[in-house]
Amino acid sequence: MAVPAEKTPPGDIPDNIAFVPYTNTIGRYTFSHPEGWSETTKGATVTFTDKLNGVQALTGTATAPPTVQSAKSQDVPALTSSQAAFELRDVQAVTIPAGKGVKIVYRRNSAPDAVSGRQYRDEVQRYAIVADGRGVIVALYRPVGARHVHQPSHLTRNTQVP
């Protein structure tokens, strides 16, 4: 069951936040993330978080850019079964400097807070991008109604380990 969205959601990201580069040598990708956010890295997967906002990047398995149809037939069912109270909002083709792919926008319940057990209704923008025959997935999330981190326009897929 979906938790209700906050009327005044916490977690707005300041307009003047600085973005700093991050390179994952194992995953062979680079992108810019908000400065000062906590980092958790496990191999080719990295997550940056601050309060209720987050950015997660990981390598994907696709070797050709996904299409809206392939995302709807493969990714959406996988997300439906893996995300708490999944609610699809949109699927669209995108091109960003790193490559081509799809953006899936959906809502989910956040993980329960470790102390209070409280959950929030998140909105997620999930980009699945392929360039040079290799894929990367970037998911940006925040409480429904809070302003979002900018799209991963600074995501690049390195062809060689830096």
Side-chain angles (χ1 to χ4, degrees), residues 18-59:
F19 284 77
V20 294
Y22 168 82
T23 298
N24 186 294
T25 55
I26 294 170
R28 300 189 335 187
Y29 60 84
T30 299
F31 70 98
S32 296
H33 67 88
E35 185 175 39
W37 285 23
S38 298
E39 175 186 337
T40 304
T41 302
K42 292 181 182 174
T45 301
V46 65
T47 305
F48 291 95
T49 57
D50 182 64
K51 300 175 187 72
L52 303 173
N53 300 293
V55 177
Q56 183 178 60
L58 59 139
T59 55

Side-chain angles (χ1 to χ4, degrees), residues 4-10 144-145:
E6 299 282 323
K7 290 189 187 339
T8 308
V144 170

Side-chain angles (χ1 to χ4, degrees), residues 28 60-65 98-100 129-136 157-159:
R28 300 189 335 187
T61 58
T63 56
K100 295 182 178 190
I129 304 297
V130 173
D132 300 324
R134 297 182 304 131
V136 67
R157 190 62 193 195
N158 298 328
T159 55

Side-chain angles (χ1 to χ4, degrees), residues 1-4 83-86 107-111 119-122:
M1 172 175 270
V3 296
Q83 302 295 301
F86 177 84
R107 292 183 177 175
R108 68 175 183 199
N109 290 347
S110 70
Q119 290 181 289
Y120 291 89
R121 191 72 177 149
D122 283 342

